[in-house]
Amino acid sequence: MGLNEQQIERYSRQIILEEVGGTGQEKLLCSKVLIVGAGGLGAPAGLYLAAAGVGTIGIVDSDKVDLSNLQRQIIHHTGDVGTEKVDSAKAKIQAINPDVTVQTYQSRLTAENISEIIRQYDFVIDGTDNFASKFLINDACYFEKKAFSHAGILRFDGQLITVLPGETTCYRCIFRSPPPAGVVPSCSEAGVLGVLAGVIGLLQATEAMKYLLGIGELLTNTLLVYNALEMEFYKAKLDRNPDCPLCGSSPTITELKDEQQPVCDLKED
Amino acid sequence: MNIVVNGEQVNCDDDLTVSKLLIEQKVKMPEMVSVEINGKILKRTEFEQTLLKDDDKVEFLYFMGGGRWA
Ligand SMILES: [Zn+2]
């Protein structure tokens, strides 16, 4: 395709990197990244990937912008409260970089629609805030053999892992199935430090860029755990689990299904 | 013996099982923790009988997902 003069100037600071160069930049412009959730993680990831010149960015979200989102979901501004998140995110991305084509999906991902959507992308960023979606994304990416970045944040902690389905440790290798409802606190119950979403969301974006450019070491077979208070990054090395219900040697999950909310059978205390 | 739990050195008794370690380390909701020893994920049913060895690297891994169910 070739870069025009404007593009050479716009992306000069990353074209100058030996590992990127004009070829890498062209690769990025031809790449497609799907961001699931235009929230705390998806907002910084979307902004930076747009600025970097990732040619097509898909955004999935069914929610509207709420005042309480603005503390961390920096793609949405005060004037956007009440509008659709996908529309708000698309407007900001296009304002940053008109090179980027934005596809919006104002819906929730389900076992019905997810495969068709992710099939069109090179890399998926899981920026969702709920376990049903996280397991669904893991499973769908496995069946579609789509690389993705999983992440979660809560209070002052965050964690992420990159998954090359069928080749490296998946989310179900670590956690077989979602926790019962109400057992793990949510950000709305337990809170989250706003900058944490930025730190973890941008680590996801970094993994996406490395994957698209084919450079560096991906965060595979490794769960990176971050604590903001101790300012500690910790890498837990994790082998693939032969007993994984999805990618193990005798899988019990052989087709895509929406997770049914398990009954909470734990004692209250 | 000495083991490493989530990157930190821990001195402990010789006949320590994973179940006991979860209690000693005051892990909240051990039913919700994934345990890994030297890179291998343990089955939940193995917590009771799995004895830790000197120099084992143990990871307690927690659900973190924003926590909303759906
Ligand atoms: Zn797996």
Side-chain angles (χ1 to χ4, degrees):
Chain A
M1 56 181 270
L3 302 168
N4 63 38
E5 260 177 59
Q6 283 252 324
Q7 289 174 321
I8 291 170
E9 191 175 345
R10 176 186 283 267
Y11 305 116
S12 57
R13 299 301 189 278
Q14 92 194 3
I15 290 174
I16 212 170
L17 296 170
E18 203 182 305
E19 292 80 353
V20 181
T23 319
Q25 189 59 53
E26 285 178 29
K27 248 191 232 172
L28 291 178
L29 286 162
C30 296
S31 296
K32 300 178 170 190
V33 174
L34 182 71
I35 299 175
V36 188
L41 299 166
L47 291 173
Y48 268 89
L49 291 178
V54 169
T56 302
I57 296 178
I59 305 166
V60 188
D61 208 306
S62 62
D63 285 349
K64 289 185 165 61
V65 180
D66 185 85
L67 187 59
S68 67
N69 298 153
L70 304 184
Q71 163 252 15
R72 63 200 179 285
Q73 302 180 12
I74 56 167
I75 205 164
H76 311 301
H77 300 173
T78 305
D80 300 317
V81 171
T83 67
E84 298 297 340
K85 281 189 175 178
V86 289
D87 296 335
S88 162
K90 180 177 181 174
K92 305 319 180 312
I93 287 177
Q94 288 182 326
I96 287 178
N97 191 349
D99 283 347
V100 181
T101 303
V102 184
Q103 301 283 352
T104 59
Y105 307 88
Q106 196 200 310
S107 53
R108 288 188 65 83
L109 288 184
T110 63
E112 295 279 281
N113 66 14
I114 185 170
S115 303
E116 202 181 313
I117 295 174
I118 64 172
R119 211 169 282 155
Q120 302 163 49
Y121 291 86
D122 302 309
F123 191 88
V124 177
I125 289 182
D126 174 2
T128 62
D129 62 355
N130 68 83
F131 291 114
S133 296
K134 291 192 182 302
F135 279 88
L136 181 67
I137 290 168
N138 183 70
D139 297 356
C141 285
Y142 176 75
F143 291 120
E144 294 296 323
K145 296 284 170 274
K146 201 62 78 180
F148 73 100
S149 165
H150 159 90
I153 51 172
L154 190 70
R155 290 171 49 79
F156 302 98
D157 300 302
Q159 60 188 26
L160 71 153
I161 185 170
T162 301
V163 181
L164 305 179
E167 294 174 48
T168 70
T169 304
C170 85
Y171 189 47
R172 279 195 199 268
C173 285
I174 313 171
F175 303 107
R176 293 183 74 84
S177 55
V183 168
V184 178
S186 69
C187 287
S188 55
E189 291 157 12
V192 63
L193 196 69
V195 289
L196 196 81
V199 171
I200 303 297
L202 288 186
L203 290 175
Q204 292 188 281
T206 309
E207 286 292 284
M209 289 193 64
K210 282 159 57 187
Y211 178 82
L212 298 172
L213 291 165
I215 60 172
E217 295 280 320
L218 291 170
L219 187 68
T220 49
N221 300 317
T222 306
L223 187 73
L224 180 68
V225 182
Y226 171 62
N227 177 274
L229 292 181
E230 309 285 335
M231 197 49 92
E232 245 174 23
F233 284 91
Y234 178 69
K235 278 180 175 178
K237 297 276 176 203
L238 298 161
D239 294 346
R240 273 182 80 185
N241 185 351
D243 296 319
C244 175
L246 182 67
C247 77
S249 46
S250 42
T252 52
I253 300 165
T254 52
E255 59 177 23
L256 210 51
K257 263 189 256 164
D258 287 306
E259 283 286 349
Q260 297 305 309
Q261 181 166 345
V263 180
C264 180
D265 56 359
L266 298 168
K267 293 186 287 295
E268 306 270 338
D269 57 13
Chain B
M1 62 174 180
N2 286 300
I3 59 172
V4 180
V5 180
N6 288 44
E8 307 228 337
Q9 286 278 349
V10 174
N11 185 274
C12 57
D13 295 340
D14 278 359
D15 58 343
L16 190 67
T17 64
V18 170
S19 297
K20 281 188 200 152
L21 180 67
L22 283 162
I23 297 166
E24 271 191 17
Q25 292 283 305
K26 300 191 173 61
V27 172
K28 287 179 205 151
M29 298 193 293
E31 317 82 4
M32 289 294 109
V33 178
S34 278
V35 177
E36 179 225 11
I37 302 176
N38 304 328
K40 305 263 179 276
I41 305 269
L42 225 59
K43 284 184 200 146
R44 198 153 290 282
T45 49
E46 294 168 335
F47 289 8
E48 283 288 345
Q49 67 269 42
T50 304
L51 284 168
L52 292 155
K53 300 183 304 298
D54 203 26
D55 279 340
D56 271 349
K57 286 189 178 57
V58 184
E59 316 286 356
F60 294 149
L61 305 166
Y62 301 90
F63 272 112
M64 203 177 289
R68 221 155 43 101
W69 212 90

